[in-house]
Each structure stands twice: as C-alpha cells, then as structure tokens.
Amino acid sequence: MSSVPKRNLFCLKWPWDVNKQPKSPNLCTFESPWLFNSIQNLGSLVLNTFNSVSKSSGSWVSNFNPAQLAAGTSRNSNLKLKRKPLSPEEQGEAEHRAVASALASGKEATVIEFYSPKCSLCNSLLKFVMEVEAGNSDWLNIVLADAENQKWLPELLHYDIKYVPCFVLLDKNGLALAKTGIPSSRLHVVAGLSHLLKIKHPTSGGSSRLSSQR
C-alpha cells in the first residue's frame, strides 16, 4: 500500500514568495489570491519607476552647483538694479520738466545752467553748483540744461547761448534778468554766478559760499 504524501492542513504564503519554487513536495504550493497579486504588481511598478527616475536625474544631481545658482541669482539682481540710460529726447524732456517744476515752486529765482557733457569745466562745477543751491534753497532753484540737446534749441536762441557753461537768471515768473559772460576760467564763472545771485537777492547767505570758491 503506497503512502499518500501528507498535506498541510493550513498553508500561509506571502505574496512575494509566489515565484519561488518549493523545495519539498510537502510544502504548500498555494497560489496567492488576486488581491495579493495586484498589490505585488503595484509595488513592483512603483519600485521600477523610482529606479528609472533616479537614474535619469542622477546626472542633474551630480551637476548641480549651488554656487552657480547663487551667482545666477546675483547676476539677475544686478541687472534689475542697473538703470537704463535715458535717450537724448528723454533727457531733454526731463530737464524741461525740472525747469517747469522750479518755476512752479514759487521761489524768488531760478538759475538755468547751460552745459555740455563734453565740457570739463562744466563737470568740475557740478558739485559747487549743488552746494550753492543747497545753501540758498529757501529762495533759489538751479536746474541744468544740455546745450547739445535739440530740445533746448529754442531757449538757446532766445537767451543767445553761444558758450558753456552759461548761467541764466530767471525771476519767479520765468523772465530772464541776466546771464554770465564768456567763461575764461573757473574763477570767472564763480564770480559771474555770484553776481547773478546778488542781483536778485543782495543779502543772500550764498555770497560767502561763492567767495570761498574763488
């Protein structure tokens, strides 16, 4: 009488063991339910997808350089901080608006300085002119006008401007009262501006400031 292989009454097998071949005929060959098979297939799919993404992004991760990223951000910030230079037309319009604003302020006098960007004497006087305006800001405005800009051509003809720097004194109504002469030297220009200010404001505190620049 042949012996019948003894079978297990209870078989428990994890889903990930279904592909393993049984080593003994006594071991159960229970097929996992469809639910376990689906979970196994889903887990394998997620694992394979993660591995493929990791391999494809490996080059990006290895090439990533925080210093380069920071440099790029700084470079973009610098570009934003840089101001676009004004065109001659925009510059002329801005200077005209400055004159109109000065006359609208109601102060006693406005001085227009006709200059040229190529004039070294004009450039050397810039700081001095700003100090003069600051010292007499209660009654005086000083504005700049580029004599090479075509926007100022009518004023150049009206005030007979043939040299730079040239300072033109206007009253609060915009009426021209006087202008400085041909600039033979820096001291000559300073003396001419001092004379203009004394015409409109003889007791101005700016006269001592002007004298110190001679």
Side-chain angles (χ1 to χ4, degrees), residues 151-170:
K151 286 284 186 178
W152 287 106
L153 182 58
E155 286 79 9
L156 293 175
L157 296 175
H158 179 70
Y159 299 130
D160 193 26
I161 306 299
K162 297 180 180 180
Y163 46 83
V164 291
C166 183
F167 294 83
V168 179
L169 175 65
L170 308 178

Side-chain angles (χ1 to χ4, degrees), residues 95 113-124 144-149 156 161 163-166:
E95 291 176 348
E113 178 194 354
F114 288 92
Y115 73 99
S116 169
K118 302 175 183 178
C119 171
S120 58
L121 179 57
C122 300
N123 294 330
S124 69
L144 303 178
D146 184 357
E148 295 188 9
N149 194 309
L156 293 175
I161 306 299
Y163 46 83
V164 291
C166 183

Side-chain angles (χ1 to χ4, degrees), residues 157-204:
L157 296 175
H158 179 70
Y159 299 130
D160 193 26
I161 306 299
K162 297 180 180 180
Y163 46 83
V164 291
C166 183
F167 294 83
V168 179
L169 175 65
L170 308 178
D171 64 12
K172 62 181 179 180
N173 297 317
L175 178 65
L177 303 178
K179 68 177 182 179
T180 56
I182 299 175
S184 57
S185 65
R186 177 187 173 88
L187 294 179
H188 184 264
V189 175
V190 171
L193 180 57
S194 176
H195 177 69
L196 289 185
L197 299 187
K198 288 179 180 179
I199 291 176
K200 191 61 183 175
H201 209 272
T203 59
S204 65

Side-chain angles (χ1 to χ4, degrees), residues 14-180:
W14 297 106
W16 45 83
D17 293 332
V18 295
N19 294 328
K20 294 183 179 180
Q21 298 296 328
K23 297 180 180 180
S24 171
N26 292 330
L27 295 176
C28 62
T29 59
F30 172 73
E31 293 292 336
S32 59
W34 66 270
L35 178 59
F36 286 158
N37 285 331
S38 300
I39 294 176
Q40 180 187 12
N41 294 336
L42 180 60
S44 300
L45 178 61
V46 172
L47 182 60
N48 293 335
T49 303
F50 177 77
N51 290 335
S52 62
V53 171
S54 299
K55 291 179 181 179
S56 62
S57 61
S59 59
W60 181 86
V61 174
S62 61
N63 293 330
F64 176 73
N65 190 338
Q68 292 179 354
L69 179 62
T73 304
S74 177
R75 185 161 50 249
N76 292 336
S77 300
N78 291 336
L79 289 176
K80 291 180 181 180
L81 292 176
K82 291 181 179 179
R83 299 182 62 182
K84 182 180 178 181
L86 297 178
S87 66
E89 182 176 358
E90 293 172 334
Q91 180 69 28
E93 291 176 353
E95 291 176 348
H96 272 85
R97 288 195 298 269
V99 173
S101 177
L103 293 175
S105 67
K107 293 183 179 181
E108 287 186 52
T110 295
V111 172
I112 303 178
E113 178 194 354
F114 288 92
Y115 73 99
S116 169
K118 302 175 183 178
C119 171
S120 58
L121 179 57
C122 300
N123 294 330
S124 69
L125 290 170
L126 181 59
K127 182 179 179 181
F128 163 68
V129 171
M130 294 176 62
E131 291 177 350
V132 171
E133 182 184 27
N136 300 276
S137 58
D138 57 329
W139 66 276
L140 175 68
N141 287 313
I142 300 181
V143 292
L144 303 178
D146 184 357
E148 295 188 9
N149 194 309
Q150 293 183 355
K151 286 284 186 178
W152 287 106
L153 182 58
E155 286 79 9
L156 293 175
L157 296 175
H158 179 70
Y159 299 130
D160 193 26
I161 306 299
K162 297 180 180 180
Y163 46 83
V164 291
C166 183
F167 294 83
V168 179
L169 175 65
L170 308 178
D171 64 12
K172 62 181 179 180
N173 297 317
L175 178 65
L177 303 178
K179 68 177 182 179
T180 56

